[in-house]
Amino acid sequence: MDTVRDLNALRETIAGLRQEGGRIALVPTMGALHAGHVALVEAARDRGAKVVASIFVNPKQFGPNEDLARYPRREMADLKMLADAGCDVAWLPPIEVMYPDGFATNIAVNGVSDLWDGAARPGHFDGVATVVTKLFHQVDPDLALFGEKDFQQLAVIRRMVADLDMDIEIVGVPTQRDDDGLALSSRNIYLDEDERAKAVALPRALGVAARAIAKGETAADVIADASASLTAAGFEIDYVALVDAETLTADPAADRPRRILAAARMGATRLIDNIAIE
Ligand code: PAF
């Protein structure tokens, strides 16, 4: 695996990969990699692509009171994990390449960015859309892979790519989970032992709710029950909502693809998760 920190070198390396044939896949990450990221690299390889994974902790997507300073950084372990997963190129852009002095551009994907996590974390999805656009221009991938765990992020990127005629296939990869069902996240390490044990209530509540809605139970009652069970488990809820899986608007028609989204705090740690209505 090539580890690249210079933009010209990246472009040369990718030109070399293109000459070998096949598609180029981008797996954007902020590091602190886990099996969920490995699944993204594997999904790219399964599609026959050469894989470029970026590692960049993007300051623009953190709010002033969020965890930018303490976000886990472990480059050596990340690079080993990417190499073991069969990644071809690790792209580690320096901050001055991503945001040079005078950087003044903001990509805002209105509507879908403003709901749910966007309401709880103002500016977050502008930061994501802006950095992902830069990464797309740097790598020029044929496809890019994102985890479904960040379901709203995936919806924002899909909207942006469609709106701006970016010729990039966006692939959503199912959430990877611990044995008890908790979605893998780089932030799970913030949970202490007691919080980690209680956190399993989140995927359980979503599972129960998704089955009840699929059976035709009233959405408002189901969401109220899920919220009550999360509160009883010790969560402080940001939102639990049944949404349209494309627009993420509430009260979706029953014949549309639907999803339940949730965000809740366990102690100081904010967890998100989601589940499809089958
Ligand atoms: O999902 C993430 O890790 C980040 O939001 C992303 C897509 C790498 C952009 O910084």
Side-chain angles (χ1 to χ4, degrees), residues 28-30 37 54 56 58 61 71 124 127-128 131-132 135 146 150 153 157:
T29 84
M30 296 207 301
H37 299 105
S54 61
F56 178 67
N58 174 33
Q61 68 187 78
Y71 195 82
H124 170 69
V128 170
V131 81
V132 168
L135 292 166
F146 296 84
D150 295 298
Q153 168 171 282
I157 303 291

Side-chain angles (χ1 to χ4, degrees), residues 5 57 67 72 94 111 113 139 161 175 189 193 199 202 214 222 224 237 262 275:
R5 298 170 197 269
V57 182
D67 57 342
S113 290
V139 174
V161 164
T175 303
I189 56 158
E193 205 178 318
L202 182 55
V222 171
I237 296 170
I275 190 167

Side-chain angles (χ1 to χ4, degrees), residues 71-95:
Y71 195 82
R73 288 157 171 91
R74 25 176 208 242
E75 191 179 295
M76 293 293 284
D78 288 347
L79 291 175
K80 180 168 186 328
M81 205 179 267
L82 289 176
D84 290 350
C87 180
D88 296 280
V89 180
W91 167 224
L92 283 71
I95 184 81

